Amino acid sequence: MAGTREVRPAAGVVVVGLGTAIGSLDTAVNIAFPDIVRSLDIALGDIQWVVICYVLTYASLMLVCGRLGDLFGHARLFRIGLAWSIVAFIACALAPGFELLLAARVAQGVGTAMVLAVGPALATAYFPEASRARVLGAYTLLFALGGAVGPSLGGLLVDAMGWAGVFWFRVPIALAALLLFRAPPVSAAGGRVPRFDAVGAGLLILTLGCLLLGVNRAASGSWSGFVLLLTALAAGARFTLRRHPSPIIRLAPFRRASFSVPAASNIAVNLVGFAVMLLVPFWLDRVAGLDASTAGALLALSPLGMALAAPLAGRLAQRRDGRSIAAAGALAVAGGLAGIGFWGAAPGMAFVAGALLLHGAGLGMFQVAYLEVASASLPAADRGVAGSLVMMTRTLGVVLGATGLTLAFNTVSGGFLSAFAAVFLGSAAIPVAAALALVLTAGRPR
């Protein structure tokens, strides 16, 4: 069978990275927002649902898909996710109206959840466990490159093909990954498959979905947001109290600070780290007065820094406790945020580029280190859950950041530059606190 054919480990990781890049390349969609608004004749405020429908779906399904991969095979779920994503991209590109586009974005979120949930588990399965941290560094590099390429490539595609181009170009990428993919020689799933906890999966999806949508609605002042948050609280409590021989995720590790602190830190670091993608584009436009292509190139420096730092973080995490590497990454994020807070009205471009690169490098170090911590802390049989936990907590931080940072920015008086500086300088304190907590839970070097 093709799935069992021998494959070179490095080539296997590259193909997995190519497949999971369909998720990070979604940054190309943001640049298409103006064209979507014009072409589909919708209100500017409605464009947020293009993001909400997608992010809400894959974030809610991530842990469940990770567990499905652990039970029934990571390679199988990866293939299904790629095939599903191809259909979803075509549906997005061909959507004749806004409602159908949103439905297609939900379908895209399902495919993304399947692919991203098992990506780290598959990548590490090609190599011995001793190389796990370095492999995670290479995997994160490939994922970050997609985020760096997305905005610039998206602008070219919108000019050439209209907004549909940001979906069409990922069809051949997903198809190539599907055709080139060969499963690792040893499957993570084997023997008797435990019974899947369908009720627990439903409760977890309900909890995360209501939480993310509830935060968005509550921030806009809608009473429905508070109803959703109460629903999330009730469903989460029921999920926590539920007992099952094969739960979606085992809660016992969260009782250990060495596991729960990195998870909480991942949410916190990504919450404030998202300030760059949320607010810096407006500074580049309003203050620096840059054209779209130049602004996009500068904005890409943050994910580029992430890609450059990821391999180094992987090598370091092989020799030292992952929590200490994560702490260093959090401090770098804090330094980048503080640097951006000092931009003012006329900083040098070298200072602008340096702050963005430092911010991205910190995120890259942190992401790789936390992937290593989560993978090392859970049994090999739960490797899919470990990888999906990292992606889910990252997404949770981004969603909370989009809401919280916007509220913070709008409450500061004194004009754009005053609010910009206050948000970034204030945000820098959070990764510093996370770094301190991580250092206190770090163990001795391995």
Side-chain angles (χ1 to χ4, degrees):
M1 292 178 62
T4 58
R5 197 179 304 167
E6 184 177 353
V7 58
R8 293 181 178 178
V13 174
V14 170
V15 173
V16 171
L18 180 67
T20 53
I22 63 172
S24 58
L25 282 168
D26 205 72
T27 52
V29 175
N30 295 54
I31 206 73
F33 284 171
D35 194 50
I36 293 175
V37 169
R38 288 190 298 267
S39 301
L40 300 183
D41 191 25
I42 62 173
L44 183 61
D46 290 340
I47 196 66
Q48 66 174 319
W49 292 102
V50 174
V51 177
I52 292 173
C53 288
Y54 172 66
V55 173
L56 187 71
T57 302
Y58 83 74
S60 302
L61 293 175
M62 194 78 73
L63 281 171
V64 173
C65 287
R67 186 59 180 156
L68 286 171
D70 289 335
L71 293 178
F72 303 109
H74 302 135
R76 178 181 300 172
L77 201 70
F78 188 70
R79 291 191 180 98
I80 294 173
L82 287 173
W84 184 291
S85 295
I86 291 170
V87 176
F89 291 139
I90 294 173
C92 286
L94 296 177
F98 189 57
E99 292 77 10
L100 290 176
L101 174 60
L102 296 183
R105 285 287 276 176
V106 171
Q108 185 193 337
V110 175
T112 299
M114 287 189 275
V115 171
L116 293 188
V118 299
L122 278 174
T124 54
Y126 289 104
F127 287 85
E129 278 291 289
S131 303
R132 183 180 60 223
R134 293 184 66 180
V135 175
L136 290 174
Y139 171 82
T140 302
L141 181 153
L142 294 169
F143 187 82
L145 284 176
V149 169
S152 300
L153 182 58
L156 295 174
L157 290 167
V158 171
D159 288 340
M161 306 171 62
W163 64 264
V166 300
F167 298 107
W168 278 125
F169 88 100
R170 283 179 282 177
V171 172
I173 294 176
L175 182 60
L178 181 61
L179 295 177
L180 294 173
F181 175 70
R182 297 292 179 267
V186 179
S187 174
R192 181 175 176 272
V193 177
R195 184 164 55 90
F196 178 65
D197 183 10
V199 174
L203 287 170
L204 186 57
I205 292 171
L206 182 63
T207 300
L208 295 173
C210 288
L211 173 63
L212 295 174
L213 186 58
V215 167
N216 175 271
R217 295 292 84 202
S220 64
S222 172
W223 63 268
S224 62
F226 299 100
V227 174
L228 287 166
L229 290 175
L230 288 174
T231 303
L233 181 63
R238 182 67 186 89
F239 175 80
T240 303
L241 296 173
R242 179 175 170 75
R243 296 291 180 266
H244 191 274
S246 180
I248 300 299
I249 183 169
R250 303 182 191 280
L251 299 179
F254 288 95
R255 301 189 187 103
R256 303 194 307 266
S258 59
F259 186 83
S260 59
V261 167
S265 297
N266 195 35
I267 296 174
V269 169
N270 281 284
L271 190 157
V272 293
F274 186 65
V276 168
M277 290 299 176
L278 181 68
L279 299 176
V280 167
F282 293 99
W283 185 91
L284 296 171
D285 176 59
R286 298 181 184 182
V287 180
L290 301 176
D291 58 79
S293 59
T294 305
L298 274 174
L299 196 61
L301 289 175
S302 180
L304 178 62
M306 184 176 180
L308 293 174
L312 173 63
R315 288 194 292 270
L316 291 174
Q318 268 193 220
R319 300 189 294 269
R320 302 186 63 86
D321 187 281
R323 285 170 287 270
S324 63
I325 308 302
L331 290 176
V333 172
L337 292 173
I340 295 170
F342 284 114
W343 278 356
M349 281 298 107
F351 184 46
V352 170
L356 290 171
L357 282 169
L358 181 60
H359 166 270
L363 284 178
M365 291 184 66
F366 188 95
Q367 195 74 13
V368 172
Y370 180 44
L371 267 169
E372 166 62 11
V373 169
S375 299
S377 301
L378 296 177
D382 292 341
R383 193 58 52 82
V385 168
S388 57
L389 176 66
V390 173
M391 295 302 299
M392 189 275 292
T393 49
R394 174 183 177 273
T395 304
L396 184 59
V398 168
V399 173
L400 294 176
T403 302
L405 292 168
T406 300
L407 286 174
F409 185 86
N410 290 332
T411 57
V412 178
S413 59
F416 178 84
L417 282 177
S418 295
F420 186 86
V423 168
F424 276 94
L425 292 174
S427 295
I430 294 179
V432 173
L436 178 61
L438 287 164
V439 168
L440 292 176
T441 60
R444 296 180 179 178
R446 290 197 304 271

